[in-house]
Structure formats: structure tokens, C-alpha cells
Amino acid sequence: MSPAIEIGWNVLLAAAEIGLFLRLRATGATTGRAATRLALPLLVALALSLPVAQEGFAVMRLWAWGVFAHGPFLFLALAVLAKGRARVAFASAAAVVLAVATDAFLIEPKRLEVEHIRLTSAKLKSPIRIAILADIQTDDVGAHERRAVRAAMQEKPDLVLLCGDYIEEEDDARRRTQHESLRRIFLEESLAAPLGVFAVEGDNDWGDWLDIFTGLPVRTSKVTFDAQAGAVSLIGLSLRDSRRTNLVVAPVSSFLIVFGHAPDFALSNPPADLLVAGHTHGGQVQIPIFGPPITLSLVPRDWAAGGAHDLGGGRTLVVSRGIGMERGSAPRLRFWCPPHVVIIDVVPASDQRGATSK
């Protein structure tokens, strides 16, 4: 969606809203009539967003403008026109929407968390700490991305897994600049681990994503690969294989980790002890109790929401909510779904403290 369409949509809608408000105020319309008239331009604009934007994320962006910018204006206009308790109710509604918008667009996208998950396994004789960095997904590398990498490295992981979607930028020159900025952060924050650092491809990565890791102690691959990381066997999935729901994985006697970008491969019930993925961003927007309305994944909504999930048979799926957000035409927000770095501690089953997740 071009900036001209986005600006034009908002300007025309704002002009219609302001014109109606002034007319309703001059004529002394009742609150009910004013609410109906003022809501009409917004409802029409939202209905027209699909043919105007012509792309899913762009439609969501226009809807976000409608809800979080034009919505408060609607409530404030009604507060001016109303009287008594209705005035207070409309003003309160505007304040709530503005508060949610402030959190979703300005606060929560940068409110990085470090989630610790603890598991046990009879296949290990010594503990192992794994750091998960998923969906850095930015077009403006800066302090937030540095904090995420630093937070992971401060945990002193034995193994680091990067689950794809590093830079989302279509322009070649700008993408190369962002690649170099992210590479510099990895260098300066000493991205390394005793058992290795492994990176796979995401669906927003262009063909040159491998350049990010030039000169770094990171094993990268665009195809599915096997590796040995100390006592741990590792399978890194190609983007295509991470989406397969009929993935075939040969069982091994050692502790096995299978990781990829999308979590859909978990539906094939691979005989792995630990399955790791990103991609969903936890939905980016979660509704309390319900969870994420949109996940762009085939897995159950509670899996896609993020965290650790017991799949039975000694298998655990960990889905990261990611560090970044959808870029391009998508609305850049998070709500009830802060970004996070995931730290997984797997300890021998003889450890009497048991398996916990927090």
C-alpha cells in the first residue's frame, strides 16, 4: 500500500467526521442520532479498506488507523455532544482506546522479556542451556535488537538457535545496510556458544540473508541439516520443511532437538525431545482468555501464542513470540504479547527439582 493511499484514506475520513460533527453540533442532534451519523463514515471506510488496500496486512493497517485514531475522535465527539453520564462514558471510552493504542504501538513492541523454561531429560548427563532468538524481523536495526542479543548472551547459553526472519526490507540497498548493522551487533555482543550457534531461514528473509553471519561462528543453511552439539543431536529445518505437517524424522538415542522457522512441523509428531520454532510472533495481538486471533500457522492457537507445550511422550514444543514485528504494510503493534528471548534449561532427570516452566 502506497503512502498516498494511506494518507488519502485518513484525510478523507477525517474530513467527513469533522464535517458531520460540526453539523450535528450546530443542529443540536440527539446522542443516538449523533452516534449513528458519526459512526457511518468510519464503517463505510472500513468496509472499503479491502478494495482500497488490496492486501491483507494493508487492510489491517487501515483498520488499525480506524480503531485507534478515528475511534477516539468518534468517542470524544460524542462526549462533546452528549450530556450527563453519557458524556462521561464516551470520554472514558476514548481514554481507554487511546491507552490501548499507546501500549500497543509505543510501549509493548519494545518491552522485551526473557522467558525461562526448565525441562528434564534422562538422556542427558549434564545440564544444557539453550538460547532462542526468533523473528528479529526489523527494517531499522537499533537498540531494541541489541538488547535482545545482549540479554541472550548474558544468560551464557551452551547453544544458540536462531529461527529465521532477520531483516524485512524489500529495497536491496537498505536491506544490505540493515544486514550489516545486525551483523555488527552480533559481533559486538559476542554471538557465540560452546556447543555452537545455528541459524535457519525465515519466510521474510531474502536470498542474501546469509550475509548477516559473514565472519561469525554461526552455522547457517537454507536446507535441512543434521548436526551434533555435544551430547545433543540437532536437526535444523529448511523453511519448506518447517511448514510440513508430514515431516519424517528418524529417531535417535540421544537428546534430539528439531528447530525451524514455522511450528507447523510439530503436527507431524516427530520423535524429538525438544521442538523449537518462531514465526507466529505469538499472534502479535492477543485477546485475554481467547488468545491470538491471527497466527498464520496451522498449529492450535494456544501453541502459536508462544511458550512451552507438552506434546506427550517426552516431547516439548517451544514457540517463541519473537523479538520484532511484521513490517511492510502491516500495523506495527503488539498487544498482550510482548517480544521475548527464550532461555531453555534442560537438566538430567536425576535432578530432583523436576521440570518447570516460567
Side-chain angles (χ1 to χ4, degrees):
M1 181 173 62
S2 70
I5 292 176
E6 184 174 6
I7 293 171
W9 189 88
N10 280 289
V11 168
L12 289 174
L13 178 54
E17 291 169 334
I18 293 171
L20 271 174
F21 166 69
L22 294 175
R23 182 178 178 182
L24 290 167
R25 188 177 187 185
T27 59
T30 64
T31 303
R33 182 185 178 200
T36 302
R37 294 289 183 87
L38 282 172
L40 185 60
L42 179 56
L43 294 174
V44 171
L46 293 177
L48 291 175
S49 62
L50 183 57
V52 169
Q54 298 182 338
E55 188 264 322
F57 282 138
V59 171
M60 292 180 193
R61 189 181 185 96
L62 293 182
W63 275 64
W65 275 111
V67 171
F68 296 114
H70 299 277
F73 173 83
L74 171 62
F75 287 127
L76 287 173
L78 289 171
V80 171
L81 297 172
K83 298 178 181 179
R85 293 182 178 179
R87 173 172 290 181
V88 175
F90 286 128
S92 299
V96 168
V97 176
L98 287 172
V100 170
T102 300
D103 173 74
F105 287 93
L106 300 178
I107 298 174
E108 199 158 328
K110 302 295 184 183
R111 188 165 62 84
L112 184 73
E113 296 181 348
V114 177
E115 180 177 1
H116 287 265
I117 296 169
R118 189 168 178 276
L119 308 170
T120 62
S121 174
K123 296 181 180 180
L124 291 179
K125 295 182 179 180
S126 58
I128 179 174
R129 171 165 286 188
I130 307 161
I132 310 300
L133 292 168
D135 300 281
I136 294 172
Q137 202 160 342
T138 183
D139 55 7
D140 186 20
V141 175
H144 175 67
E145 291 72 30
R146 184 179 295 276
R147 282 197 303 271
V149 177
R150 181 174 295 172
M153 291 300 97
Q154 286 177 341
E155 296 288 338
K156 301 186 184 304
D158 302 299
L159 176 67
V160 178
L161 304 179
L162 295 103
C163 298
D165 275 4
Y166 307 101
I167 301 296
E168 185 177 353
E169 174 57 71
E170 293 186 5
D171 182 83
D172 291 345
R174 288 198 294 266
R175 188 172 64 253
R176 285 193 293 269
T177 299
Q178 295 303 313
H179 281 179
E180 178 56 30
S181 296
L182 185 56
R183 190 183 78 87
R184 191 178 306 117
I185 286 177
F186 285 152
L187 280 169
E188 293 171 355
E189 299 301 328
S190 302
L191 179 65
L195 299 182
V197 181
F198 300 85
V200 294
E201 183 178 18
D203 50 10
N204 282 297
D205 294 318
W206 291 69
D208 55 357
W209 69 273
L210 298 175
D211 295 345
I212 299 170
F213 301 101
T214 300
L216 290 164
V218 180
R219 177 170 177 179
T220 59
S221 181
K222 294 183 179 181
V223 299
T224 296
F225 66 90
D226 300 332
Q228 198 66 31
V232 173
S233 297
L234 182 70
I235 298 178
L237 299 177
S238 68
L239 175 60
R240 182 176 181 179
D241 281 349
S242 76
R243 293 186 175 280
R244 291 177 58 185
T245 58
N246 60 347
L247 183 70
V248 177
V249 174
V252 297
S253 58
S254 56
F255 187 89
L256 175 61
I257 300 174
V258 179
F259 83 107
H261 179 63
D264 299 29
F265 72 92
L267 295 172
S268 61
N269 295 315
D273 301 281
L274 177 60
L275 293 74
V276 175
H279 176 64
T280 66
H281 303 183
Q284 275 192 209
V285 172
Q286 294 193 19
I287 299 172
I289 300 176
F290 179 80
I294 300 172
T295 66
L296 302 181
S297 174
L298 298 176
V299 300
R301 189 167 51 248
D302 61 326
W303 294 9
H309 305 276
D310 185 356
L311 303 184
R315 298 175 302 119
T316 300
L317 168 67
V318 173
V319 177
S320 170
R321 297 194 303 268
I323 294 163
M325 297 179 289
E326 288 291 342
R327 305 288 168 164
S329 297
R332 303 188 178 190
L333 79 165
R334 279 182 177 269
F335 181 70
W336 218 263
C337 187
H340 71 174
V341 171
V342 181
I343 304 297
I344 306 171
D345 286 300
V346 188
V347 300
S350 56
D351 190 319
Q352 297 301 312
R353 290 173 295 177
T356 62
S357 173
K358 63 177 180 179

